[in-house]
PDB file of all heavy atoms in Angstrom:
ATOM      1  N   VAL A  13      -7.623   9.904   5.043  1.00  0.00           N
ATOM      2  CA  VAL A  13      -6.800   8.728   4.771  1.00  0.00           C
ATOM      3  C   VAL A  13      -7.662   7.475   4.705  1.00  0.00           C
ATOM      4  O   VAL A  13      -7.494   6.622   3.827  1.00  0.00           O
ATOM      5  CB  VAL A  13      -5.699   8.572   5.839  1.00  0.00           C
ATOM      6  CG1 VAL A  13      -4.958   7.244   5.655  1.00  0.00           C
ATOM      7  CG2 VAL A  13      -4.711   9.732   5.758  1.00  0.00           C
ATOM      8  N   ASP A  14      -8.616   7.356   5.639  1.00  0.00           N
ATOM      9  CA  ASP A  14      -9.507   6.200   5.653  1.00  0.00           C
ATOM     10  C   ASP A  14     -10.324   6.109   4.362  1.00  0.00           C
ATOM     11  O   ASP A  14     -10.602   5.014   3.865  1.00  0.00           O
ATOM     12  CB  ASP A  14     -10.441   6.299   6.866  1.00  0.00           C
ATOM     13  CG  ASP A  14     -11.352   5.085   6.989  1.00  0.00           C
ATOM     14  OD1 ASP A  14     -10.827   3.967   7.180  1.00  0.00           O
ATOM     15  OD2 ASP A  14     -12.587   5.237   6.882  1.00  0.00           O
ATOM     16  N   HIS A  15     -10.662   7.268   3.807  1.00  0.00           N
ATOM     17  CA  HIS A  15     -11.463   7.304   2.579  1.00  0.00           C
ATOM     18  C   HIS A  15     -10.653   6.911   1.348  1.00  0.00           C
ATOM     19  O   HIS A  15     -11.187   6.346   0.386  1.00  0.00           O
ATOM     20  CB  HIS A  15     -12.039   8.720   2.399  1.00  0.00           C
ATOM     21  CG  HIS A  15     -12.837   8.894   1.150  1.00  0.00           C
ATOM     22  ND1 HIS A  15     -12.299   9.435  -0.008  1.00  0.00           N
ATOM     23  CD2 HIS A  15     -14.121   8.586   0.854  1.00  0.00           C
ATOM     24  CE1 HIS A  15     -13.228   9.457  -0.944  1.00  0.00           C
ATOM     25  NE2 HIS A  15     -14.341   8.955  -0.458  1.00  0.00           N
ATOM     26  N   SER A  16      -9.347   7.185   1.364  1.00  0.00           N
ATOM     27  CA  SER A  16      -8.527   7.024   0.159  1.00  0.00           C
ATOM     28  C   SER A  16      -7.646   5.786   0.143  1.00  0.00           C
ATOM     29  O   SER A  16      -7.287   5.303  -0.924  1.00  0.00           O
ATOM     30  CB  SER A  16      -7.634   8.267  -0.026  1.00  0.00           C
ATOM     31  OG  SER A  16      -8.399   9.440  -0.076  1.00  0.00           O
ATOM     32  N   ILE A  17      -7.292   5.270   1.302  1.00  0.00           N
ATOM     33  CA  ILE A  17      -6.222   4.269   1.358  1.00  0.00           C
ATOM     34  C   ILE A  17      -6.591   2.956   0.668  1.00  0.00           C
ATOM     35  O   ILE A  17      -5.761   2.331   0.016  1.00  0.00           O
ATOM     36  CB  ILE A  17      -5.780   4.022   2.821  1.00  0.00           C
ATOM     37  CG1 ILE A  17      -4.432   3.289   2.831  1.00  0.00           C
ATOM     38  CG2 ILE A  17      -6.857   3.286   3.607  1.00  0.00           C
ATOM     39  CD1 ILE A  17      -3.776   3.278   4.195  1.00  0.00           C
ATOM     40  N   ARG A  18      -7.845   2.534   0.760  1.00  0.00           N
ATOM     41  CA  ARG A  18      -8.251   1.280   0.103  1.00  0.00           C
ATOM     42  C   ARG A  18      -8.142   1.405  -1.415  1.00  0.00           C
ATOM     43  O   ARG A  18      -7.727   0.465  -2.094  1.00  0.00           O
ATOM     44  CB  ARG A  18      -9.678   0.912   0.508  1.00  0.00           C
ATOM     45  CG  ARG A  18      -9.794   0.489   1.961  1.00  0.00           C
ATOM     46  CD  ARG A  18     -11.180  -0.051   2.291  1.00  0.00           C
ATOM     47  NE  ARG A  18     -11.256  -0.413   3.695  1.00  0.00           N
ATOM     48  CZ  ARG A  18     -10.819  -1.560   4.194  1.00  0.00           C
ATOM     49  NH1 ARG A  18     -10.290  -2.460   3.379  1.00  0.00           N
ATOM     50  NH2 ARG A  18     -10.911  -1.815   5.481  1.00  0.00           N
ATOM     51  N   LYS A  19      -8.520   2.567  -1.930  1.00  0.00           N
ATOM     52  CA  LYS A  19      -8.438   2.792  -3.370  1.00  0.00           C
ATOM     53  C   LYS A  19      -6.979   2.728  -3.837  1.00  0.00           C
ATOM     54  O   LYS A  19      -6.674   2.161  -4.896  1.00  0.00           O
ATOM     55  CB  LYS A  19      -9.034   4.163  -3.702  1.00  0.00           C
ATOM     56  CG  LYS A  19      -9.122   4.460  -5.190  1.00  0.00           C
ATOM     57  CD  LYS A  19      -9.516   5.915  -5.435  1.00  0.00           C
ATOM     58  CE  LYS A  19     -10.858   6.233  -4.792  1.00  0.00           C
ATOM     59  NZ  LYS A  19     -11.253   7.637  -5.081  1.00  0.00           N
ATOM     60  N   VAL A  20      -6.074   3.298  -3.052  1.00  0.00           N
ATOM     61  CA  VAL A  20      -4.657   3.302  -3.407  1.00  0.00           C
ATOM     62  C   VAL A  20      -4.096   1.883  -3.397  1.00  0.00           C
ATOM     63  O   VAL A  20      -3.401   1.465  -4.322  1.00  0.00           O
ATOM     64  CB  VAL A  20      -3.849   4.197  -2.441  1.00  0.00           C
ATOM     65  CG1 VAL A  20      -2.371   4.151  -2.783  1.00  0.00           C
ATOM     66  CG2 VAL A  20      -4.355   5.638  -2.502  1.00  0.00           C
ATOM     67  N   TYR A  21      -4.418   1.126  -2.351  1.00  0.00           N
ATOM     68  CA  TYR A  21      -3.911  -0.252  -2.249  1.00  0.00           C
ATOM     69  C   TYR A  21      -4.492  -1.133  -3.350  1.00  0.00           C
ATOM     70  O   TYR A  21      -3.804  -2.004  -3.886  1.00  0.00           O
ATOM     71  CB  TYR A  21      -4.237  -0.836  -0.874  1.00  0.00           C
ATOM     72  CG  TYR A  21      -3.117  -0.651   0.124  1.00  0.00           C
ATOM     73  CD1 TYR A  21      -2.971   0.542   0.814  1.00  0.00           C
ATOM     74  CD2 TYR A  21      -2.188  -1.660   0.359  1.00  0.00           C
ATOM     75  CE1 TYR A  21      -1.934   0.729   1.721  1.00  0.00           C
ATOM     76  CE2 TYR A  21      -1.151  -1.487   1.259  1.00  0.00           C
ATOM     77  CZ  TYR A  21      -1.031  -0.290   1.937  1.00  0.00           C
ATOM     78  OH  TYR A  21      -0.001  -0.113   2.822  1.00  0.00           O
ATOM     79  N   ASN A  22      -5.745  -0.900  -3.686  1.00  0.00           N
ATOM     80  CA  ASN A  22      -6.374  -1.732  -4.706  1.00  0.00           C
ATOM     81  C   ASN A  22      -5.838  -1.420  -6.096  1.00  0.00           C
ATOM     82  O   ASN A  22      -5.967  -2.225  -7.014  1.00  0.00           O
ATOM     83  CB  ASN A  22      -7.898  -1.537  -4.690  1.00  0.00           C
ATOM     84  CG  ASN A  22      -8.643  -2.763  -5.181  1.00  0.00           C
ATOM     85  OD1 ASN A  22      -8.310  -3.896  -4.815  1.00  0.00           O
ATOM     86  ND2 ASN A  22      -9.644  -2.556  -6.019  1.00  0.00           N
ATOM     87  N   GLY A  23      -5.216  -0.238  -6.249  1.00  0.00           N
ATOM     88  CA  GLY A  23      -4.637   0.131  -7.537  1.00  0.00           C
ATOM     89  C   GLY A  23      -3.164  -0.211  -7.650  1.00  0.00           C
ATOM     90  O   GLY A  23      -2.524   0.145  -8.640  1.00  0.00           O
ATOM     91  N   TYR A  24      -2.640  -0.935  -6.669  1.00  0.00           N
ATOM     92  CA  TYR A  24      -1.217  -1.296  -6.674  1.00  0.00           C
ATOM     93  C   TYR A  24      -0.895  -2.195  -7.859  1.00  0.00           C
ATOM     94  O   TYR A  24      -1.626  -3.115  -8.183  1.00  0.00           O
ATOM     95  CB  TYR A  24      -0.865  -2.004  -5.370  1.00  0.00           C
ATOM     96  CG  TYR A  24       0.604  -2.354  -5.225  1.00  0.00           C
ATOM     97  CD1 TYR A  24       1.513  -1.420  -4.757  1.00  0.00           C
ATOM     98  CD2 TYR A  24       1.073  -3.627  -5.565  1.00  0.00           C
ATOM     99  CE1 TYR A  24       2.859  -1.738  -4.622  1.00  0.00           C
ATOM    100  CE2 TYR A  24       2.415  -3.948  -5.432  1.00  0.00           C
ATOM    101  CZ  TYR A  24       3.304  -3.002  -4.963  1.00  0.00           C
ATOM    102  OH  TYR A  24       4.628  -3.318  -4.822  1.00  0.00           O
ATOM    103  N   ASN A  25       0.241  -1.895  -8.518  1.00  0.00           N
ATOM    104  CA  ASN A  25       0.677  -2.684  -9.662  1.00  0.00           C
ATOM    105  C   ASN A  25       2.166  -2.958  -9.505  1.00  0.00           C
ATOM    106  O   ASN A  25       3.007  -2.135  -9.855  1.00  0.00           O
ATOM    107  CB  ASN A  25       0.394  -1.926 -10.966  1.00  0.00           C
ATOM    108  CG  ASN A  25       0.729  -2.743 -12.199  1.00  0.00           C
ATOM    109  OD1 ASN A  25       1.392  -3.775 -12.114  1.00  0.00           O
ATOM    110  ND2 ASN A  25       0.266  -2.272 -13.350  1.00  0.00           N
ATOM    111  N   GLY A  26       2.493  -4.102  -8.960  1.00  0.00           N
ATOM    112  CA  GLY A  26       3.873  -4.408  -8.618  1.00  0.00           C
ATOM    113  C   GLY A  26       4.776  -4.667  -9.796  1.00  0.00           C
ATOM    114  O   GLY A  26       5.999  -4.506  -9.699  1.00  0.00           O
ATOM    115  N   THR A  27       4.212  -5.083 -10.937  1.00  0.00           N
ATOM    116  CA  THR A  27       5.048  -5.421 -12.085  1.00  0.00           C
ATOM    117  C   THR A  27       5.485  -4.176 -12.852  1.00  0.00           C
ATOM    118  O   THR A  27       6.555  -4.142 -13.438  1.00  0.00           O
ATOM    119  CB  THR A  27       4.285  -6.355 -13.046  1.00  0.00           C
ATOM    120  OG1 THR A  27       3.044  -5.723 -13.427  1.00  0.00           O
ATOM    121  CG2 THR A  27       3.983  -7.675 -12.358  1.00  0.00           C
ATOM    122  N   ASN A  28       4.644  -3.156 -12.871  1.00  0.00           N
ATOM    123  CA  ASN A  28       4.978  -1.906 -13.551  1.00  0.00           C
ATOM    124  C   ASN A  28       4.519  -0.753 -12.661  1.00  0.00           C
ATOM    125  O   ASN A  28       3.506  -0.123 -12.923  1.00  0.00           O
ATOM    126  CB  ASN A  28       4.287  -1.839 -14.920  1.00  0.00           C
ATOM    127  CG  ASN A  28       4.681  -0.604 -15.694  1.00  0.00           C
ATOM    128  OD1 ASN A  28       5.729  -0.026 -15.454  1.00  0.00           O
ATOM    129  ND2 ASN A  28       3.820  -0.188 -16.615  1.00  0.00           N
ATOM    130  N   PRO A  29       5.264  -0.503 -11.591  1.00  0.00           N
ATOM    131  CA  PRO A  29       4.785   0.432 -10.560  1.00  0.00           C
ATOM    132  C   PRO A  29       4.553   1.848 -11.090  1.00  0.00           C
ATOM    133  O   PRO A  29       5.417   2.408 -11.758  1.00  0.00           O
ATOM    134  CB  PRO A  29       5.910   0.418  -9.521  1.00  0.00           C
ATOM    135  CG  PRO A  29       6.711  -0.802  -9.810  1.00  0.00           C
ATOM    136  CD  PRO A  29       6.577  -1.024 -11.276  1.00  0.00           C
ATOM    137  N   ASP A  30       3.390   2.392 -10.803  1.00  0.00           N
ATOM    138  CA  ASP A  30       3.142   3.804 -11.076  1.00  0.00           C
ATOM    139  C   ASP A  30       3.454   4.602  -9.818  1.00  0.00           C
ATOM    140  O   ASP A  30       3.984   4.073  -8.847  1.00  0.00           O
ATOM    141  CB  ASP A  30       1.685   4.011 -11.530  1.00  0.00           C
ATOM    142  CG  ASP A  30       0.692   3.437 -10.528  1.00  0.00           C
ATOM    143  OD1 ASP A  30       1.106   3.126  -9.381  1.00  0.00           O
ATOM    144  OD2 ASP A  30      -0.487   3.301 -10.873  1.00  0.00           O
ATOM    145  N   ALA A  31       3.114   5.883  -9.824  1.00  0.00           N
ATOM    146  CA  ALA A  31       3.458   6.747  -8.698  1.00  0.00           C
ATOM    147  C   ALA A  31       2.784   6.279  -7.409  1.00  0.00           C
ATOM    148  O   ALA A  31       3.390   6.283  -6.337  1.00  0.00           O
ATOM    149  CB  ALA A  31       3.061   8.186  -9.009  1.00  0.00           C
ATOM    150  N   ALA A  32       1.508   5.866  -7.513  1.00  0.00           N
ATOM    151  CA  ALA A  32       0.783   5.416  -6.329  1.00  0.00           C
ATOM    152  C   ALA A  32       1.404   4.140  -5.758  1.00  0.00           C
ATOM    153  O   ALA A  32       1.507   3.974  -4.536  1.00  0.00           O
ATOM    154  CB  ALA A  32      -0.695   5.187  -6.668  1.00  0.00           C
ATOM    155  N   SER A  33       1.821   3.236  -6.650  1.00  0.00           N
ATOM    156  CA  SER A  33       2.445   1.987  -6.197  1.00  0.00           C
ATOM    157  C   SER A  33       3.779   2.258  -5.516  1.00  0.00           C
ATOM    158  O   SER A  33       4.099   1.656  -4.485  1.00  0.00           O
ATOM    159  CB  SER A  33       2.645   1.037  -7.381  1.00  0.00           C
ATOM    160  OG  SER A  33       1.400   0.707  -7.981  1.00  0.00           O
ATOM    161  N   ARG A  34       4.548   3.175  -6.086  1.00  0.00           N
ATOM    162  CA  ARG A  34       5.809   3.547  -5.447  1.00  0.00           C
ATOM    163  C   ARG A  34       5.570   4.182  -4.086  1.00  0.00           C
ATOM    164  O   ARG A  34       6.351   3.994  -3.149  1.00  0.00           O
ATOM    165  CB  ARG A  34       6.599   4.508  -6.347  1.00  0.00           C
ATOM    166  CG  ARG A  34       7.173   3.851  -7.599  1.00  0.00           C
ATOM    167  CD  ARG A  34       8.237   4.725  -8.242  1.00  0.00           C
ATOM    168  NE  ARG A  34       7.701   6.026  -8.649  1.00  0.00           N
ATOM    169  CZ  ARG A  34       7.141   6.261  -9.837  1.00  0.00           C
ATOM    170  NH1 ARG A  34       7.041   5.274 -10.733  1.00  0.00           N
ATOM    171  NH2 ARG A  34       6.700   7.456 -10.143  1.00  0.00           N
ATOM    172  N   ALA A  35       4.459   4.935  -3.984  1.00  0.00           N
ATOM    173  CA  ALA A  35       4.127   5.564  -2.703  1.00  0.00           C
ATOM    174  C   ALA A  35       3.831   4.510  -1.643  1.00  0.00           C
ATOM    175  O   ALA A  35       4.247   4.647  -0.484  1.00  0.00           O
ATOM    176  CB  ALA A  35       2.925   6.497  -2.876  1.00  0.00           C
ATOM    177  N   ILE A  36       3.134   3.445  -2.026  1.00  0.00           N
ATOM    178  CA  ILE A  36       2.827   2.365  -1.081  1.00  0.00           C
ATOM    179  C   ILE A  36       4.115   1.688  -0.615  1.00  0.00           C
ATOM    180  O   ILE A  36       4.323   1.468   0.581  1.00  0.00           O
ATOM    181  CB  ILE A  36       1.869   1.339  -1.714  1.00  0.00           C
ATOM    182  CG1 ILE A  36       0.481   1.948  -1.881  1.00  0.00           C
ATOM    183  CG2 ILE A  36       1.788   0.068  -0.849  1.00  0.00           C
ATOM    184  CD1 ILE A  36      -0.502   1.048  -2.587  1.00  0.00           C
ATOM    185  N   ASP A  37       4.974   1.344  -1.568  1.00  0.00           N
ATOM    186  CA  ASP A  37       6.240   0.698  -1.199  1.00  0.00           C
ATOM    187  C   ASP A  37       7.078   1.609  -0.305  1.00  0.00           C
ATOM    188  O   ASP A  37       7.703   1.150   0.662  1.00  0.00           O
ATOM    189  CB  ASP A  37       7.034   0.328  -2.460  1.00  0.00           C
ATOM    190  CG  ASP A  37       6.424  -0.868  -3.185  1.00  0.00           C
ATOM    191  OD1 ASP A  37       5.825  -1.734  -2.513  1.00  0.00           O
ATOM    192  OD2 ASP A  37       6.536  -0.931  -4.424  1.00  0.00           O
ATOM    193  N   TYR A  38       7.095   2.903  -0.627  1.00  0.00           N
ATOM    194  CA  TYR A  38       7.858   3.855   0.189  1.00  0.00           C
ATOM    195  C   TYR A  38       7.313   3.903   1.615  1.00  0.00           C
ATOM    196  O   TYR A  38       8.080   3.825   2.582  1.00  0.00           O
ATOM    197  CB  TYR A  38       7.799   5.248  -0.430  1.00  0.00           C
ATOM    198  CG  TYR A  38       8.404   6.320   0.451  1.00  0.00           C
ATOM    199  CD1 TYR A  38       9.778   6.557   0.449  1.00  0.00           C
ATOM    200  CD2 TYR A  38       7.604   7.088   1.296  1.00  0.00           C
ATOM    201  CE1 TYR A  38      10.336   7.526   1.255  1.00  0.00           C
ATOM    202  CE2 TYR A  38       8.157   8.062   2.125  1.00  0.00           C
ATOM    203  CZ  TYR A  38       9.516   8.270   2.096  1.00  0.00           C
ATOM    204  OH  TYR A  38      10.065   9.229   2.928  1.00  0.00           O
ATOM    205  N   VAL A  39       6.002   4.022   1.736  1.00  0.00           N
ATOM    206  CA  VAL A  39       5.378   4.134   3.062  1.00  0.00           C
ATOM    207  C   VAL A  39       5.606   2.867   3.872  1.00  0.00           C
ATOM    208  O   VAL A  39       5.925   2.924   5.075  1.00  0.00           O
ATOM    209  CB  VAL A  39       3.870   4.433   2.924  1.00  0.00           C
ATOM    210  CG1 VAL A  39       3.138   4.199   4.245  1.00  0.00           C
ATOM    211  CG2 VAL A  39       3.658   5.870   2.459  1.00  0.00           C
ATOM    212  N   GLN A  40       5.470   1.696   3.235  1.00  0.00           N
ATOM    213  CA  GLN A  40       5.633   0.438   3.969  1.00  0.00           C
ATOM    214  C   GLN A  40       7.065   0.279   4.471  1.00  0.00           C
ATOM    215  O   GLN A  40       7.281  -0.213   5.580  1.00  0.00           O
ATOM    216  CB  GLN A  40       5.204  -0.740   3.094  1.00  0.00           C
ATOM    217  CG  GLN A  40       3.699  -0.755   2.849  1.00  0.00           C
ATOM    218  CD  GLN A  40       3.204  -2.042   2.210  1.00  0.00           C
ATOM    219  OE1 GLN A  40       2.073  -2.447   2.424  1.00  0.00           O
ATOM    220  NE2 GLN A  40       4.032  -2.703   1.422  1.00  0.00           N
ATOM    221  N   ARG A  41       8.025   0.694   3.659  1.00  0.00           N
ATOM    222  CA  ARG A  41       9.423   0.617   4.110  1.00  0.00           C
ATOM    223  C   ARG A  41       9.727   1.689   5.159  1.00  0.00           C
ATOM    224  O   ARG A  41      10.386   1.419   6.164  1.00  0.00           O
ATOM    225  CB  ARG A  41      10.372   0.778   2.915  1.00  0.00           C
ATOM    226  CG  ARG A  41      10.382  -0.401   1.963  1.00  0.00           C
ATOM    227  CD  ARG A  41      11.550  -0.309   0.995  1.00  0.00           C
ATOM    228  NE  ARG A  41      11.581  -1.448   0.081  1.00  0.00           N
ATOM    229  CZ  ARG A  41      11.101  -1.429  -1.154  1.00  0.00           C
ATOM    230  NH1 ARG A  41      10.536  -0.339  -1.627  1.00  0.00           N
ATOM    231  NH2 ARG A  41      11.163  -2.502  -1.920  1.00  0.00           N
ATOM    232  N   GLN A  42       9.266   2.900   4.902  1.00  0.00           N
ATOM    233  CA  GLN A  42       9.593   4.020   5.768  1.00  0.00           C
ATOM    234  C   GLN A  42       8.946   3.889   7.145  1.00  0.00           C
ATOM    235  O   GLN A  42       9.585   4.152   8.171  1.00  0.00           O
ATOM    236  CB  GLN A  42       9.151   5.330   5.100  1.00  0.00           C
ATOM    237  CG  GLN A  42       9.651   6.591   5.782  1.00  0.00           C
ATOM    238  CD  GLN A  42      11.115   6.841   5.513  1.00  0.00           C
ATOM    239  OE1 GLN A  42      11.714   6.206   4.652  1.00  0.00           O
ATOM    240  NE2 GLN A  42      11.708   7.768   6.249  1.00  0.00           N
ATOM    241  N   LEU A  43       7.678   3.486   7.163  1.00  0.00           N
ATOM    242  CA  LEU A  43       6.942   3.389   8.426  1.00  0.00           C
ATOM    243  C   LEU A  43       6.965   1.980   9.015  1.00  0.00           C
ATOM    244  O   LEU A  43       6.413   1.747  10.088  1.00  0.00           O
ATOM    245  CB  LEU A  43       5.485   3.836   8.224  1.00  0.00           C
ATOM    246  CG  LEU A  43       5.293   5.271   7.711  1.00  0.00           C
ATOM    247  CD1 LEU A  43       3.810   5.600   7.620  1.00  0.00           C
ATOM    248  CD2 LEU A  43       6.012   6.273   8.601  1.00  0.00           C
ATOM    249  N   ARG A  44       7.574   1.045   8.279  1.00  0.00           N
ATOM    250  CA  ARG A  44       7.686  -0.350   8.724  1.00  0.00           C
ATOM    251  C   ARG A  44       6.303  -0.943   9.041  1.00  0.00           C
ATOM    252  O   ARG A  44       6.022  -1.383  10.145  1.00  0.00           O
ATOM    253  CB  ARG A  44       8.607  -0.432   9.947  1.00  0.00           C
ATOM    254  CG  ARG A  44      10.003   0.074   9.654  1.00  0.00           C
ATOM    255  CD  ARG A  44      10.988  -0.194  10.759  1.00  0.00           C
ATOM    256  NE  ARG A  44      12.328   0.223  10.373  1.00  0.00           N
ATOM    257  CZ  ARG A  44      13.430  -0.014  11.083  1.00  0.00           C
ATOM    258  NH1 ARG A  44      13.333  -0.677  12.222  1.00  0.00           N
ATOM    259  NH2 ARG A  44      14.597   0.392  10.650  1.00  0.00           N
ATOM    260  N   CYS A  45       5.486  -0.945   7.993  1.00  0.00           N
ATOM    261  CA  CYS A  45       4.120  -1.450   8.129  1.00  0.00           C
ATOM    262  C   CYS A  45       3.793  -2.282   6.893  1.00  0.00           C
ATOM    263  O   CYS A  45       4.556  -2.311   5.921  1.00  0.00           O
ATOM    264  CB  CYS A  45       3.128  -0.294   8.271  1.00  0.00           C
ATOM    265  SG  CYS A  45       3.189   0.900   6.892  1.00  0.00           S
ATOM    266  N   CYS A  46       2.650  -2.940   6.926  1.00  0.00           N
ATOM    267  CA  CYS A  46       2.241  -3.784   5.803  1.00  0.00           C
ATOM    268  C   CYS A  46       0.728  -3.839   5.750  1.00  0.00           C
ATOM    269  O   CYS A  46       0.076  -4.196   6.748  1.00  0.00           O
ATOM    270  CB  CYS A  46       2.821  -5.192   5.956  1.00  0.00           C
ATOM    271  SG  CYS A  46       2.449  -6.297   4.564  1.00  0.00           S
ATOM    272  N   GLY A  47       0.147  -3.508   4.603  1.00  0.00           N
ATOM    273  CA  GLY A  47      -1.298  -3.523   4.465  1.00  0.00           C
ATOM    274  C   GLY A  47      -1.952  -2.319   5.123  1.00  0.00           C
ATOM    275  O   GLY A  47      -1.283  -1.420   5.628  1.00  0.00           O
ATOM    276  N   ILE A  48      -3.274  -2.331   5.125  1.00  0.00           N
ATOM    277  CA  ILE A  48      -4.023  -1.219   5.713  1.00  0.00           C
ATOM    278  C   ILE A  48      -4.077  -1.353   7.229  1.00  0.00           C
ATOM    279  O   ILE A  48      -3.691  -0.440   7.967  1.00  0.00           O
ATOM    280  CB  ILE A  48      -5.439  -1.153   5.111  1.00  0.00           C
ATOM    281  CG1 ILE A  48      -5.345  -0.935   3.591  1.00  0.00           C
ATOM    282  CG2 ILE A  48      -6.247  -0.031   5.765  1.00  0.00           C
ATOM    283  CD1 ILE A  48      -6.663  -1.049   2.874  1.00  0.00           C
ATOM    284  N   HIS A  49      -4.557  -2.510   7.684  1.00  0.00           N
ATOM    285  CA  HIS A  49      -4.606  -2.786   9.124  1.00  0.00           C
ATOM    286  C   HIS A  49      -3.560  -3.830   9.521  1.00  0.00           C
ATOM    287  O   HIS A  49      -3.037  -3.816  10.624  1.00  0.00           O
ATOM    288  CB  HIS A  49      -6.006  -3.256   9.536  1.00  0.00           C
ATOM    289  CG  HIS A  49      -7.082  -2.252   9.207  1.00  0.00           C
ATOM    290  ND1 HIS A  49      -7.944  -2.417   8.145  1.00  0.00           N
ATOM    291  CD2 HIS A  49      -7.415  -1.075   9.788  1.00  0.00           C
ATOM    292  CE1 HIS A  49      -8.771  -1.385   8.089  1.00  0.00           C
ATOM    293  NE2 HIS A  49      -8.461  -0.556   9.063  1.00  0.00           N
ATOM    294  N   ASN A  50      -3.256  -4.752   8.601  1.00  0.00           N
ATOM    295  CA  ASN A  50      -2.171  -5.725   8.762  1.00  0.00           C
ATOM    296  C   ASN A  50      -1.918  -6.362   7.400  1.00  0.00           C
ATOM    297  O   ASN A  50      -2.601  -6.052   6.426  1.00  0.00           O
ATOM    298  CB  ASN A  50      -2.494  -6.786   9.836  1.00  0.00           C
ATOM    299  CG  ASN A  50      -3.821  -7.480   9.573  1.00  0.00           C
ATOM    300  OD1 ASN A  50      -4.016  -8.080   8.513  1.00  0.00           O
ATOM    301  ND2 ASN A  50      -4.747  -7.373  10.513  1.00  0.00           N
ATOM    302  N   TYR A  51      -0.944  -7.254   7.324  1.00  0.00           N
ATOM    303  CA  TYR A  51      -0.543  -7.819   6.026  1.00  0.00           C
ATOM    304  C   TYR A  51      -1.655  -8.611   5.334  1.00  0.00           C
ATOM    305  O   TYR A  51      -1.650  -8.781   4.117  1.00  0.00           O
ATOM    306  CB  TYR A  51       0.693  -8.702   6.180  1.00  0.00           C
ATOM    307  CG  TYR A  51       0.559  -9.819   7.184  1.00  0.00           C
ATOM    308  CD1 TYR A  51      -0.104 -10.998   6.858  1.00  0.00           C
ATOM    309  CD2 TYR A  51       1.107  -9.704   8.462  1.00  0.00           C
ATOM    310  CE1 TYR A  51      -0.225 -12.028   7.776  1.00  0.00           C
ATOM    311  CE2 TYR A  51       0.990 -10.725   9.383  1.00  0.00           C
ATOM    312  CZ  TYR A  51       0.316 -11.891   9.043  1.00  0.00           C
ATOM    313  OH  TYR A  51       0.185 -12.913   9.950  1.00  0.00           O
ATOM    314  N   SER A  52      -2.639  -9.102   6.094  1.00  0.00           N
ATOM    315  CA  SER A  52      -3.714  -9.910   5.480  1.00  0.00           C
ATOM    316  C   SER A  52      -4.593  -9.077   4.549  1.00  0.00           C
ATOM    317  O   SER A  52      -5.311  -9.637   3.708  1.00  0.00           O
ATOM    318  CB  SER A  52      -4.567 -10.568   6.562  1.00  0.00           C
ATOM    319  OG  SER A  52      -5.250  -9.591   7.329  1.00  0.00           O
ATOM    320  N   ASP A  53      -4.546  -7.744   4.667  1.00  0.00           N
ATOM    321  CA  ASP A  53      -5.351  -6.894   3.782  1.00  0.00           C
ATOM    322  C   ASP A  53      -4.934  -7.038   2.324  1.00  0.00           C
ATOM    323  O   ASP A  53      -5.732  -6.783   1.421  1.00  0.00           O
ATOM    324  CB  ASP A  53      -5.216  -5.416   4.201  1.00  0.00           C
ATOM    325  CG  ASP A  53      -5.879  -5.129   5.538  1.00  0.00           C
ATOM    326  OD1 ASP A  53      -6.949  -5.686   5.788  1.00  0.00           O
ATOM    327  OD2 ASP A  53      -5.309  -4.351   6.326  1.00  0.00           O
ATOM    328  N   TRP A  54      -3.682  -7.439   2.089  1.00  0.00           N
ATOM    329  CA  TRP A  54      -3.224  -7.596   0.711  1.00  0.00           C
ATOM    330  C   TRP A  54      -3.990  -8.699  -0.024  1.00  0.00           C
ATOM    331  O   TRP A  54      -4.095  -8.670  -1.252  1.00  0.00           O
ATOM    332  CB  TRP A  54      -1.727  -7.919   0.690  1.00  0.00           C
ATOM    333  CG  TRP A  54      -0.869  -6.694   0.788  1.00  0.00           C
ATOM    334  CD1 TRP A  54      -0.187  -6.241   1.870  1.00  0.00           C
ATOM    335  CD2 TRP A  54      -0.625  -5.755  -0.257  1.00  0.00           C
ATOM    336  NE1 TRP A  54       0.475  -5.078   1.573  1.00  0.00           N
ATOM    337  CE2 TRP A  54       0.229  -4.756   0.272  1.00  0.00           C
ATOM    338  CE3 TRP A  54      -1.037  -5.655  -1.588  1.00  0.00           C
ATOM    339  CZ2 TRP A  54       0.670  -3.680  -0.493  1.00  0.00           C
ATOM    340  CZ3 TRP A  54      -0.589  -4.594  -2.349  1.00  0.00           C
ATOM    341  CH2 TRP A  54       0.251  -3.605  -1.797  1.00  0.00           C
ATOM    342  N   GLU A  55      -4.562  -9.657   0.707  1.00  0.00           N
ATOM    343  CA  GLU A  55      -5.289 -10.753   0.071  1.00  0.00           C
ATOM    344  C   GLU A  55      -6.534 -10.277  -0.668  1.00  0.00           C
ATOM    345  O   GLU A  55      -7.045 -10.970  -1.551  1.00  0.00           O
ATOM    346  CB  GLU A  55      -5.676 -11.793   1.123  1.00  0.00           C
ATOM    347  CG  GLU A  55      -4.485 -12.452   1.804  1.00  0.00           C
ATOM    348  CD  GLU A  55      -4.918 -13.483   2.832  1.00  0.00           C
ATOM    349  OE1 GLU A  55      -5.697 -14.390   2.471  1.00  0.00           O
ATOM    350  OE2 GLU A  55      -4.500 -13.366   4.004  1.00  0.00           O
TER     351      GLU A  55
END
């Protein structure tokens, strides 16, 4: 997970979500989390 998660977050496309982007949104809602370590990672 540590090896892959940054690549997944960096490939996020909120305007036209692909499967990976939907996976991020699903995980953040389901697990009630934001970012890799915290919300500031999105910057």
